[in-house]
Amino acid sequence: CYEHLSPEQLQQIAEVSLVPLAAESVTVQAIELWETLAAFELQIFSAEPGACKEVTRQALPMLLPFLFDALGRKPESFQDDWLEEAESPTVQEAACSCLTSVAKMVAETCVQQVLHFAESGLASQ
């Protein structure tokens, strides 16, 4: 379906999925959507660069602040046993994984913003 989406439709997907969401489970799903899209685009770009629509790169102005917000959230709940695996990832885990996929796809385009986020986090402690 990726090949058949127009730029306008892809923009609408970005606008709907990158709004602040209250429920952690819905936020995780939105983040996983972008992680999957970034990984898919990386596969396309690696095989045939001209076929990639670079939606991930176009969404960066909205995507990175969304991921940074997710990384900075306090977990809704803590597990009783820290060794026990959670059934689904936390918002922070999903955001970290997504940011990794996004960085692989867009490379140097996101470095400055990620460094600024990390420096801000370190300075606030």
Side-chain angles (χ1 to χ4, degrees), residues 87-105:
E87 290 183 23
S88 62
T90 65
V91 169
Q92 295 81 9
E93 292 168 334
C96 182
S97 183
C98 183
L99 188 56
T100 301
S101 294
V102 167
K104 287 177 183 176
M105 176 56 206

Side-chain angles (χ1 to χ4, degrees), residues 11 17 29 71 96 113 116 125:
Q11 179 65 28
S17 64
Q29 290 175 6
L71 285 168
C96 182
Q113 292 164 305
H116 178 70
Q125 295 200 9

Side-chain angles (χ1 to χ4, degrees), residues 15-76:
E15 289 171 0
V16 168
S17 64
L18 296 175
V19 296
L21 304 165
E24 185 169 311
S25 62
V26 177
T27 303
V28 168
Q29 290 175 6
I31 292 170
E32 288 175 341
L33 167 78
W34 284 98
E35 178 183 7
T36 302
L37 182 60
F40 181 71
E41 285 197 315
L42 183 59
Q43 286 181 329
I44 293 172
F45 189 77
S46 297
E48 188 180 343
C52 183
K53 294 183 180 186
E54 296 196 40
V55 174
T56 305
R57 187 179 310 275
Q58 294 172 29
L60 279 181
M62 293 181 352
L63 181 58
L64 287 179
F66 181 78
L67 292 175
F68 296 155
D69 178 65
L71 285 168
R73 282 188 182 188
K74 293 186 184 206
E76 283 186 359

